Amino acid sequence: MGLIVAIDRPLEEGLVERLCGVASGVKVGLPAVLRAGVEWARRAASSCRGLKVLDFKLADVAHVMEAIVEPFLGYYDAFIAHSFLGGPGALTELSRILEREGARLVLVASMSHPGSLEVYDKVSGLIEAVIDEVDPWGLVAPATRPRVIGRLRRRYPGKAILAPGVGAQGARPGTAVCAGADYEIVGRAIVDSPDPVKAALEIASEVEVARRGCGAEAG
Amino acid sequence: MGLIVAIDRPLEEGLVERLCGVASGVKVGLPAVLRAGVEWARRAASSCRGLKVLDFKLADVAHVMEAIVEPFLGYYDAFIAHSFLGGPGALTELSRILEREGARLVLVASMSHPGSLEVYDKVSGLIEAVIDEVDPWGLVAPATRPRVIGRLRRRYPGKAILAPGVGAQGARPGTAVCAGADYEIVGRAIVDSPDPVKAALEIASEVEVARRGCGAEAG
C-alpha cells in the first residue's frame, strides 16, 4: 500500500536505498537499465527494503521473455508484462517461470496515454479473459482513468493494482488509491526534483492523506 | 528481400559482420543487449552492411520509448514496436522521433505464438486502424500463419513485412516470403548451429529458391 517510485534513468545507489526508506518500493525501467547496466539494477534492488518491480513492459514470445527476466530473478520481486500477449507461448510460460523462482507477475490491463483508448480499452473483455487465464499477482491500470481502476478493483478484489500516471502525466496523488489502487507510481515528479527524498516523502504523505479521506467518505 | 538473422544472445562481433555478408540483415533483441551492453549493440550494428533492426518489442508510453531508443539512433535502421499501443502518447510520438532521425518504424501486427489468437488476432480491425494512423515503414507478422501475411500484403502493398517464426518456432523457410513477406527472420536455427554462417547461407538459399518457386506458381 502506498507509493512506488519509478526509476527510468540511473540514480546513485544510495538514493535508491533512501527512496525505499520513505516509499513502499521502486519500479525500475528499461531506460535506466540500458544506461547503467544489469549489475547496477541488481545492486539497486539489493539496496531497497521495499517492493522491487522490474518494468520492461514485457511483450514477446515466452523464450525471449524468459531470457530477458533471467538476469533479474532473485533480485526483483515482481515483473511487468502486457496482457495483450495472451497465454500459451507467452504469459502462461512466463507465469510458471516466475512462480518457480518465487517472483510475481504483474499484467498491464490498461495504459495511461490517450492511445490506450484505441485498442487496449476497447477490448477490455478479451484482456480480462487473459487475466482470468493467467491469474497474475497484480495489475497495472492508469491513475489517469480512475473508473478503469474502480472496475478492475471490483472484478479482482484479491489482486494488487499498481497505478502509473501520477504527477508528470497528470493524475493527482491519492486519486488512484481512492479509486481502488494499492500503489501509486510516481517517477519524474520525484526523481527530477531537486530533493527526491523530500519529494517522495511529501507525495507519500499526500497519498496517505487521500487514502484516509476517501476511506472516511466511503464510511 | 530475404533473410534476417535474429540475434537474441551475444555473438562475437566478427560473426555479426559475417552473417550480414550472407543475409539481408540482423535483428538484435533485448536479451542480447542486456547481456552484452549498449556499446556491443552499437558496434555489432556498425559492423553490419545490411538492414539493422532493433527488436525490443517497444510497448510503453512515448517518453519511455524515446529514452529506450535514444542510445541506438544512428546505429540501427529500424525499430520494432507494438501496434497495440495506439497512436497519441505512444506510437505517434515514436514515429516522429524516428522519422526525424532517419530511422524506420516497424509495427507488430500479429505474433507467432498461440496466445496471439486470444487478443491480437481477434482485434485485427483495430490493429489495422492504428497501422493506418501511424503509417509505419514495416510490419511484423508471423511466418507460422501465412494467411495473416497474405491479408496484410494485400492491405499494405507498399509496406515491408518481416516474418519471425521460421525454424525453431515451426515455419519452413520460404513459406512467409511466398505468402507475401519481404523478410523471413530466423534466430536459433542459425545462431545455435555449429556453423552459423553456413546455416545462414543454406536458409537464405532455401528462401530464395522458395521465392522463385512461388513466383513461378503465381505466373
Side-chain angles (χ1 to χ4, degrees):
Chain A
M1 259 299 197
L3 171 68
I4 289 178
V5 182
I7 298 174
D8 279 320
R9 59 179 177 77
L11 299 183
E12 25 161 344
E13 276 154 54
L15 182 53
V16 174
E17 185 178 356
R18 281 186 294 142
L19 288 170
C20 284
V22 298
S24 301
V26 289
K27 177 179 82 76
V28 174
L30 184 53
V33 178
L34 286 174
R35 283 163 181 79
V38 170
E39 279 307 318
W40 169 85
R42 287 170 162 184
R43 286 197 307 273
S46 300
S47 78
C48 173
R49 284 186 305 273
L51 182 73
K52 282 94 69 172
V53 183
L54 193 76
D55 183 12
F56 284 1
K57 299 279 188 312
L58 296 165
D60 215 318
V61 294
H63 77 274
V64 177
M65 293 198 288
E66 179 171 7
I68 292 170
V69 301
E70 188 270 329
F72 305 96
L73 293 171
Y75 294 88
Y76 283 80
D77 306 304
F79 294 79
I80 296 179
H82 271 289
S83 53
F84 68 70
L85 295 173
L91 297 174
T92 306
E93 289 82 351
L94 178 64
S95 172
R96 258 186 236 135
I97 291 157
L98 294 180
E99 194 173 12
R100 197 181 60 207
E101 302 288 335
R104 296 157 178 177
L105 176 62
V106 177
L107 291 184
V108 177
S110 171
M111 296 179 73
S112 58
H113 65 294
S116 182
L117 299 169
E118 296 182 355
V119 188
Y120 240 122
D121 293 278
K122 273 193 182 147
V123 301
S124 49
L126 296 174
I127 294 297
E128 289 175 9
V130 175
I131 294 168
D132 292 339
E133 178 191 0
V134 178
D135 193 25
W137 170 76
L139 301 172
V140 174
T144 46
R145 285 202 289 286
R147 277 185 203 183
V148 173
I149 293 177
R151 195 190 70 226
L152 291 166
R153 172 47 66 223
R154 290 187 295 276
R155 180 112 163 63
Y156 300 105
K159 295 203 186 301
I161 297 180
L162 287 66
V166 179
Q169 286 181 69
R172 208 167 34 83
T175 320
V177 159
C178 283
D182 299 287
Y183 298 100
E184 296 199 1
I185 300 170
V186 182
R188 291 169 286 177
I190 291 173
V191 299
D192 292 348
S193 101
D195 186 341
V197 176
K198 189 174 161 222
L201 252 177
E202 284 170 3
I203 294 175
S205 143
E206 278 185 77
V207 171
E208 181 55 24
V209 167
R211 195 180 65 76
R212 290 190 197 164
C214 58
E217 278 165 35
Chain B
M1 260 301 196
L3 171 68
I4 289 178
V5 182
I7 298 173
D8 279 321
R9 59 180 177 78
L11 298 183
E12 24 160 345
E13 277 153 53
L15 181 53
V16 175
E17 186 178 356
R18 283 185 293 144
L19 288 170
C20 283
V22 298
S24 300
V26 289
K27 178 178 84 74
V28 175
L30 184 54
V33 179
L34 286 174
R35 284 164 180 78
V38 171
E39 280 307 317
W40 169 86
R42 289 169 161 184
R43 286 197 308 272
S46 300
S47 79
C48 174
R49 286 187 305 274
L51 182 72
K52 280 95 67 174
V53 183
L54 194 75
D55 183 12
F56 285 1
K57 299 280 189 312
L58 296 164
D60 215 318
V61 295
H63 78 273
V64 177
M65 293 198 289
E66 179 171 6
I68 293 170
V69 301
E70 189 269 330
F72 304 97
L73 294 171
Y75 294 88
Y76 283 80
D77 305 305
F79 295 78
I80 296 178
H82 271 289
S83 52
F84 217 94
L85 296 172
L91 297 174
T92 307
E93 289 82 351
L94 179 63
S95 172
R96 260 188 235 133
I97 290 158
L98 294 180
E99 195 173 12
R100 196 180 64 205
E101 302 288 335
R104 296 158 177 176
L105 177 62
V106 177
L107 290 185
V108 177
S110 171
M111 297 179 73
S112 58
H113 65 293
S116 183
L117 299 168
E118 295 182 356
V119 188
Y120 239 118
D121 294 278
K122 274 195 182 146
V123 302
S124 48
L126 297 174
I127 295 297
E128 289 175 8
V130 174
I131 294 168
D132 292 340
E133 177 191 1
V134 177
D135 193 23
W137 170 76
L139 302 172
V140 174
T144 46
R145 285 202 288 286
R147 278 184 201 183
V148 173
I149 293 177
R151 196 190 69 226
L152 291 166
R153 172 47 67 224
R154 290 188 294 277
R155 179 110 164 64
Y156 301 106
K159 295 203 186 299
I161 296 180
L162 287 67
V166 179
Q169 285 180 70
R172 209 166 33 83
T175 320
V177 159
C178 284
D182 299 286
Y183 298 100
E184 296 199 359
I185 300 171
V186 182
R188 290 169 285 177
I190 292 173
V191 300
D192 291 347
S193 101
D195 186 342
V197 177
K198 189 173 162 225
L201 251 177
E202 284 170 2
I203 294 175
S205 144
E206 278 185 77
V207 171
E208 181 55 24
V209 166
R211 195 179 66 76
R212 290 189 196 164
C214 56
E217 279 164 37

